Amino acid sequence: MENNTLVAFRRDIKILDATIRDGGIVNNFSFTDDFVRKLYLTNVKAGVDYMEFGYKADPDMFNENEYGKWKFSKDEDIRAIVGENNTDLKISVMADAGRTNFKRDILPRSESPIDMIRVATYIYQLPLAIEMIEDAHAKGYETCVNIMAISKVQEDDLMKGLELLGKTNVDVIYLVDSFGVLFPEQALRLTQMYKEIADKYGKKIGIHAHNNQQLAFANTIESMRAGASYLDGTVSGMGRGAGNCHMESLLSMLRNPKYRIYPVMDFIAAEMPKIKESGATWGFDIPYMLTGSLNIHPSRAIKFIKDGRNDYSEFLKELLEDN
Amino acid sequence: MENNTLVAFRRDIKILDATIRDGGIVNNFSFTDDFVRKLYLTNVKAGVDYMEFGYKADPDMFNENEYGKWKFSKDEDIRAIVGENNTDLKISVMADAGRTNFKRDILPRSESPIDMIRVATYIYQLPLAIEMIEDAHAKGYETCVNIMAISKVQEDDLMKGLELLGKTNVDVIYLVDSFGVLFPEQALRLTQMYKEIADKYGKKIGIHAHNNQQLAFANTIESMRAGASYLDGTVSGMGRGAGNCHMESLLSMLRNPKYRIYPVMDFIAAEMPKIKESGATWGFDIPYMLTGSLNIHPSRAIKFIKDGRNDYSEFLKELLEDN
């Protein structure tokens, strides 16, 4: 049986661990410092390229007493974990368009432990997102842009948005399947579309998938085959709702000697049972499958599960009623 | 966002529910009659095309006291569930080459509630499998052949085997990913290979996927896109080790008005918690991912989990030592 030789020789691949950021949505960013430090050391050993510490939310908009610290990812909190981060692992944070006081809270890179700013934006916020990208770029950061909820955007608008981004200083444009609606062939086709514009402007493509239909890993593979080189994963797939592409799956697939799966498996065995015992729940389940297949935000599925319901048929009827 | 229009218009699709047969491997075929009857009624309501009741194992080879009745799937036991089965749902059983007294235990179709015999075979058993196919065909049954463990077969041998099968009276040739090793592009490419021979001889293609790498659904989709029309699923993905393609995912994807997802979701809500409480375990987990990605039979992963181990790194080292 032929292996995916394409995978074996893709030296451009970068893996980003989004456990604290996307997983933080599950447990309100309440990870212990011990957990975050061990994950950091795990990522260093595993050869993971980027670790995302959390959001850079504006403390004037969100009450700091209501969230764990990784909602805000202050430089001093990151430094308490990584020191001067004298490793090959780069540090990223996510800055939401409209929820970040980026001019004030994102310091020049020379003063910060952060290496990459990932701007998350809806398509209608692109002018603001571009301002944030240019601000971060001017401060010396690598930059990413994650256009969210594209499954609700007309392709023509999306193309125009991508063209706009092509003309900025952004380094990486992410294909984001926020609702977990995509089938593998669609992930492949959309990536080809992104790649065309990326190639024209010298940008790279990334993929951030959700597991609503149990397709996050498959979509990541197909997107990679179409040219995405930045691949997001999370440990045990921890992330909002159905979660993300499993980091351990990514590392198992990529036969790249740069990556080592052993540290991640050891971390999972030692740390993830505690996280699950703490009541954090995520992962494939019928309610997420239903919102995913209907191209609906997972929030209602999260509530359905939190409420302890399992009347899936009623839930589907509710979803269809006001979709 | 474009939907998979290919899916929407594929009127040749047939869904086979393999819950009792592949799920039976998980719980030693110890389903209650009540469970099996409710699943049967669910499948009828859902528009599922085939329901597989179990294996047709030879009682002279396997002690009937050591297994539930669906290891043997006697006609009278099937009849106790389905009566004369005056529905559109067809009944299948699996006959393992070398483990079935097919001449004695498979009655003429006119005397049996069974509609289709699925012969499971390793490539080296093909002469016997062909004898079983022709016997079942002559007795009036629809016939399938599932060549197992093809990920360990040289492509040239596989092609020759498929050619042999093309010349028989078999109706459907199944692509079976026994170890859950395939990536979506491989499932697609292998299906194209099967399809070429199937078209030449007027056969249909089926896909039976395992979820070791969380790719069972994705591989089923890709195989379908390449021309497979018989799709195996199981309720909640219940099946050996990491389990199978989830029936609910199949029904959610196929926008074919023939199929209804509501009965299956109601069945899952009412019946599957009891199955899980009975101690049956299956579903994606790291040990299955490791055997899958290494193209190894899942038996060692099943033992690892049964033994309550979670030292994944040690397990991987053990697997690599004698692979």
Side-chain angles (χ1 to χ4, degrees), chain B residues 160-178:
Chain B
K160 285 185 184 130
L162 292 173
E163 283 283 347
L164 273 179
L165 288 168
K167 291 168 188 153
T168 70
N169 281 300
V170 79
D171 299 302
V172 189
I173 302 174
Y174 258 76
L175 172 59
V176 183
D177 183 14
S178 303

Side-chain angles (χ1 to χ4, degrees), chain A residues 1-4 150-151 182-186 189-190 211 213-215 217-218 221-222 225 246 248-249 252-253 255 261-262 265-266 268-269 284 286 289-290 293 310 312-313 316-317 320, chain B residues 1-4 150-151 182-186 189-190 211 213-215 217-218 221-222 225 246 248-249 252-253 255 261-262 265-266 268-269 284 286 289-290 293 310 312-313 316-317 320:
Chain A
M1 189 70 40
E2 191 184 350
N3 272 318
N4 190 335
I150 55 148
S151 53
L182 296 180
F183 288 122
E185 65 156 342
Q186 296 173 313
R189 232 179 323 118
L190 274 166
N211 209 25
Q213 301 192 82
Q214 226 180 155
L215 293 171
F217 180 43
I221 296 173
E222 292 303 289
R225 291 209 305 130
H246 289 237
E248 55 274 29
S249 296
S252 145
M253 168 192 62
R255 270 94 179 179
I261 195 173
Y262 290 100
M265 294 195 302
D266 291 341
I268 289 173
F284 175 75
I286 291 177
M289 181 191 82
L290 295 176
S293 72
N310 75 349
Y312 309 117
S313 290
L316 176 53
K317 285 181 226 163
L320 289 171
Chain B
M1 189 70 40
E2 189 185 352
N3 272 318
N4 190 336
I150 54 148
S151 53
L182 297 180
F183 288 123
E185 65 156 341
Q186 296 173 313
R189 228 176 329 116
L190 273 166
N211 209 25
Q213 302 192 83
Q214 226 178 156
L215 293 171
F217 181 43
I221 296 172
E222 292 303 288
R225 292 211 302 131
H246 288 236
E248 54 275 29
S249 296
S252 147
M253 169 192 63
R255 271 94 179 177
I261 194 172
Y262 290 100
M265 294 196 300
D266 292 342
I268 290 173
F284 176 74
I286 291 178
M289 182 192 81
L290 295 176
S293 71
N310 75 348
Y312 308 118
S313 290
L316 176 52
K317 285 181 226 164
L320 290 171

Side-chain angles (χ1 to χ4, degrees), chain B residues 59-98:
Chain B
D60 297 338
M61 286 182 70
F62 298 92
N63 186 335
E64 289 189 68
N65 297 321
E66 288 175 18
Y67 300 89
K69 64 176 87 160
W70 306 111
K71 174 87 173 174
F72 308 95
S73 306
K74 294 183 180 168
D75 284 21
E76 64 260 34
D77 289 329
I78 297 174
R79 213 169 248 128
I81 303 293
V82 309
E84 291 308 311
N85 184 31
N86 293 318
T87 73
D88 291 335
L89 175 70
K90 290 181 177 176
I91 309 286
S92 76
V93 294
M94 182 161 276
D96 267 338

